[in-house]
């Protein structure tokens, strides 16, 4: 049994375009249970990493590929990411970036207040908004806030931030186990799957019960290595088995595209070096301390 | 700022009295995300000229919390789903049990200490760093520094405070912390970027190259009333102002403050009888927070200034 909670539709000026996509598997409730799911966190317009990850996850036998939202930000040509996801019919959970782009909001709803973070967030958002087609904006407006499905015997709730807030950061070092346990119990799920932070991590909450943060495909997890990551999950004997999968992709080609588009050198530095240069305010002390900036 | 729909509502201008009555707007507790502890009561080694609760070495109106009192609240917090723990005062490190209290807390979740860093010898900074290393969770040290020079800071925080704070901050950095430097904005908003740059330069001189700086708007209560001014009669939250307003922006919709004698709606309203919501955390969590205090107006304008993230420029929206 698979169920999607419908998101808000995009405003009429964007929904007037004829949708190009066909309904994906989550558009109906008739899709069978899945056995192995690949979860992609924030793509951030890194269409090159996305293509590699799709091929990699398919090769590893995933029977469901799922995107947890935030298609845009940082990277070039946001329409390319949208086209890849739509062509592959990958269901997408609504991220705050998608919500903002679909609705034409003033900002990305990341909640930055630091002037430097805001400066770069504004550049990133304005570029993405200006370069996302009306058709893709309408498509983003159809993304549900959450997706629920069965992974073998386990019930999985997939969200962007948390079940209660699309843009809630759940960092490893500031999220207590009892808090996660409450979220999962309240959701009536066994596994809570999310992203939004850009750094992958997971924690067991009890037998067959887990929180998994898939991290991001769009940029490295502030670890000094340009590889990006996704999460692979399956059920084995009633327990969740999962791994985080590194993805190597054509970093220099993406960097060249970003430079050609006039995107900030700071964004390019991050995908080249693996160190975050912007959006640092929201990082907790431990995660920030592991980085260079 | 333009008057809200329906115009301003008059209130008292003392900045410290409650505004009782049935007409006071309230904020329900949406979720108890933040649990604050008035862990050193109103006892502080400094006597700052802007302190919103007039903390001082001889202000014993709220006394230290014991480790056992904190433990009890921590135990209760698990069921209530608390996400973050904050410790304030006064100066938390005046409490002799502070390190043990933090050790207890870090078994459960992330902890933040609001400190003036003037009681931060190397031994303590290193001990705190070990606590942080041994925990899955982040231990944040939030250091109050109210100026970029000795003259600027000590005019507010007292003679010698700058030098001791800078030394303590350097010890924290040397021990591996990335302290969040917190400063009350005592300059026009337009000058904030210049001050931020000056803070970065000062901190770089201490070997702190990943500076985290949080500028807060002034709270016009307590000692600050004497230093600058109190709130005007018109600076109150009214029912009309809450139309279309997201109450989630107010700390009291997500937090409670535990003290040695009862639970308050938020850390700013320690001394407000109206903001005392019960003897126990469970009782206080079940009640809405009254928004009748004048300081609520700053929270209305600037959001949850007390949290680690948010309002880092001290600007009014």
């Amino acid at each position: 049994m698979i169920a999607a909670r419908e998101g808000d539709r995009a405003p009429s000026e964007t929904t007037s375009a004829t949708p190009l996509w066909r309904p994906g598997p989550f558009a109906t409730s008739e899709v069978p249970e899945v056995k192995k799911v690949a979860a992609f966190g924030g793509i951030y317009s890194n269409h090159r990493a996305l293509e590699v990850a799709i091929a990699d996850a398919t090769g590893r036998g995933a029977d469901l590929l799922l995107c947890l939202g935030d298609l845009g930000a940082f990277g070039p040509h946001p329409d390319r990411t949208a086209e890849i996801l739509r062509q592959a019919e990958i269901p997408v959970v609504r991220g705050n970036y998608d919500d903002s782009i679909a609705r034409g909001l003033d900002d990305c709803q990341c909640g930055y207040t630091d002037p430097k973070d805001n400066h770069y967030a504004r550049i990133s958002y304005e570029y993405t908004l200006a370069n996302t087609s009306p058709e893709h904006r309408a498509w983003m407006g159809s993304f549900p806030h959450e997706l629920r499905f069965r992974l073998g015997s386990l019930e999985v709730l997939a969200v962007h931030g948390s079940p209660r807030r699309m843009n809630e950061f759940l960092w490893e070092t500031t999220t207590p186990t009892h808090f996660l346990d409450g979220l999962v119990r309240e959701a009536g799920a066994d596994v809570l799957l999310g992203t939004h932070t850009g750094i992958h991590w997971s924690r067991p909450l009890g037998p067959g019960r887990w929180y998994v943060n898939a991290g991001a495909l769009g940029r490295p997890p502030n670890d000094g290595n340009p590889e990006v990551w996704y999460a692979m999950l399956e059920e084995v004997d009633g327990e969740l088995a999962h791994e985080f999968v590194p993805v190597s992709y054509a970093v220099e080609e993406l960097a060249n595209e970003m430079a050609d588009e006039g995107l900030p050198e700071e964004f390019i530095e991050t995908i080249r070096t693996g160190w975050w240069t912007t959006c640092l305010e929201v990082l907790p002390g431990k995660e920030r301390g592991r980085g260079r900036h | 700022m333009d008057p809200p729909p329906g115009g301003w509502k008059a209130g008292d201008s003392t900045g410290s009295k409650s505004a009782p009555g049935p007409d006071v707007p309230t904020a329900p507790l949406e979720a108890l995300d933040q649990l604050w502890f008035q862990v050193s009561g109103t006892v502080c080694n400094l006597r700052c000229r802007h302190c919103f609760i007039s903390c001082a070495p001889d202000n014993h109106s709220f006394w230290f919390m014991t480790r056992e009192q904190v433990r009890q609240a921590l135990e209760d917090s698990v069921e209530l789903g608390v996400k973050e723990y904050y410790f304030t005062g006064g100066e938390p490190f005046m409490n002799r049990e502070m390190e043990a209290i933090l050790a207890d807390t870090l078994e459960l979740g992330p902890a933040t200490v609001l400190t003036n860093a003037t009681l931060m010898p190397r031994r303590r900074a290193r001990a705190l760093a070990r606590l942080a290393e041994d925990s899955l969770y982040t231990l944040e040290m939030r250091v109050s520094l109210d100026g970029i020079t000795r003259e600027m800071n000590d005019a507010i925080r007292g003679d010698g405070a700058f030098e001791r704070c800078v030394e303590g901050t350097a010890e924290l950095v040397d021990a591996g912390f990335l302290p969040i430097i917190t400063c009350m904005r005592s300059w026009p908003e337009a000058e904030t970027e210049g001050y931020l740059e000056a803070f970065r330069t000062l901190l770089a001189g201490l070997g702190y190259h990943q500076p985290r700086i949080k500028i807060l708007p002034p709270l016009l209560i307590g000692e600050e009333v004497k230093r600058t001014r109190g709130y005007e009669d018109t600076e109150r939250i009214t029912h009309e102002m809450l139309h279309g307003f997201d109450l989630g922006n107010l700390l009291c919709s997500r937090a409670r403050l535990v003290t040695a004698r009862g639970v308050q709606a938020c850390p700013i309203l320690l001394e407000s009888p109206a903001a005392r919501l019960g003897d126990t955390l469970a009782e206080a969590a079940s009640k809405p927070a009254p928004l009748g205090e004048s300081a609520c107006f700053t929270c209305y304008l600037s959001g949850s200034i007390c949290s680690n993230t948010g309002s880092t420029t001290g600007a009014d929206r």
Side-chain angles (χ1 to χ4, degrees), chain B residues 118-289:
Chain B
T118 62
L119 304 175
M120 193 58 64
R122 181 161 303 173
R123 182 209 63 78
R124 173 167 284 153
R126 298 270 163 96
L128 293 171
R130 281 194 296 276
L131 284 179
E133 284 165 15
D134 290 345
S135 174
L136 173 62
Y137 301 110
T138 280
L139 171 59
E140 300 281 17
M141 304 302 294
R142 237 164 74 183
V143 173
S144 301
L145 183 63
D146 282 305
I148 51 174
T149 63
R150 177 181 291 108
E151 293 71 24
M152 186 178 176
N153 179 77
D154 290 0
I156 295 173
R157 303 188 74 83
D159 289 345
F162 181 82
E163 192 173 335
R164 292 165 66 194
C165 178
V166 164
E167 286 172 5
T169 302
E171 290 294 352
L172 287 169
V173 171
D174 192 53
F177 284 100
L178 301 178
I180 300 171
I181 306 300
T182 307
C183 175
M184 184 197 73
R185 179 172 55 76
S186 56
W187 54 80
E189 273 186 49
E191 297 174 18
T192 293
E193 186 49 47
Y195 278 100
L196 283 171
E197 192 53 41
F199 268 110
R200 289 184 201 113
T201 302
L202 170 69
L203 296 170
L206 305 179
Y208 188 14
H209 299 292
Q210 294 170 280
R212 305 159 84 199
I213 304 165
K214 182 177 171 71
I215 310 294
L216 299 176
L219 289 159
L220 308 179
I221 55 175
E223 294 302 296
E224 182 68 7
V225 175
K226 299 176 210 163
R227 200 183 74 87
T228 55
R229 68 172 180 90
Y231 289 92
E232 301 291 339
D233 288 350
T234 53
E235 295 176 315
R236 289 274 181 169
I237 296 179
T238 65
H239 288 285
E240 291 81 4
M241 289 162 66
L242 295 179
H243 291 159
F245 179 78
D246 180 2
L247 287 171
N249 288 323
L250 304 177
L251 186 67
C252 56
S253 72
R254 296 182 287 116
R256 290 291 181 262
L257 170 76
V258 182
T259 78
R261 49 181 174 91
V263 182
Q264 302 286 125
C266 87
I268 305 298
L269 302 181
L270 174 68
E271 295 172 307
S272 163
R276 189 182 190 282
L277 299 182
D279 293 327
T280 66
L281 191 53
E283 184 186 359
S286 70
K287 294 179 184 172

Side-chain angles (χ1 to χ4, degrees), chain B residues 39-102:
Chain B
V39 73
S40 71
T42 44
V43 183
C44 188
N45 60 319
L46 301 183
R47 194 187 297 273
C48 299
R49 296 188 180 94
H50 67 343
C51 185
F52 57 87
I53 44 178
S54 307
C55 292
D58 54 359
N59 184 347
H60 298 166
S61 60
F62 281 82
W63 195 237
F64 297 106
M65 292 188 73
T66 65
R67 183 181 184 184
E68 194 48 44
Q69 285 175 318
V70 175
R71 267 187 180 157
Q72 184 59 55
L74 289 174
E75 201 172 292
D76 296 344
S77 77
V78 171
E79 188 65 27
L80 291 162
V82 169
K83 195 176 174 189
E84 299 176 276
Y85 302 94
Y86 287 79
F87 294 88
T88 188
E91 168 49 49
F93 289 107
M94 293 282 282
N95 187 323
R96 291 180 182 175
E97 294 186 293
M98 194 59 214
E99 289 172 31
I101 287 170
L102 286 174

Side-chain angles (χ1 to χ4, degrees), chain A residues 113-115 164-165 168-170 172-179 203 281 283-289 291-293, chain B residues 31 33 77-78 81-83 85 108-110 132 135-138 140 178 193 196 210-212 309-313:
Chain A
T113 52
D114 180 84
R164 58 184 199 167
R165 279 202 299 274
E168 179 167 19
F169 290 102
L170 297 182
E172 181 171 24
T173 75
T174 55
T175 311
T177 301
H178 64 254
F179 174 82
R203 192 176 298 160
E281 172 202 342
L283 279 169
K286 278 205 177 188
E287 280 85 347
R288 179 91 180 254
R292 178 178 287 172
H293 299 288
Chain B
D33 286 348
S77 77
V78 171
V82 169
K83 195 176 174 189
Y85 302 94
L108 281 184
S135 174
L136 173 62
Y137 301 110
T138 280
E140 300 281 17
L178 301 178
E193 186 49 47
L196 283 171
Q210 294 170 280
R212 305 159 84 199
T309 56
S311 290
T312 56
T313 63

Side-chain angles (χ1 to χ4, degrees), chain A residues 150-167:
Chain A
R150 291 204 75 82
L151 181 66
S153 63
L154 302 174
E155 177 122 349
V156 180
L157 178 66
V159 298
H160 181 75
S162 79
R164 58 184 199 167
R165 279 202 299 274
M166 181 171 57
N167 62 350

Side-chain angles (χ1 to χ4, degrees), chain A residues 1-2 33-34 148-156 190:
Chain A
M1 177 67 186
I2 296 173
E33 292 177 2
V34 296
R148 194 179 283 267
F149 59 94
R150 291 204 75 82
L151 181 66
S153 63
L154 302 174
E155 177 122 349
V156 180
D190 301 303

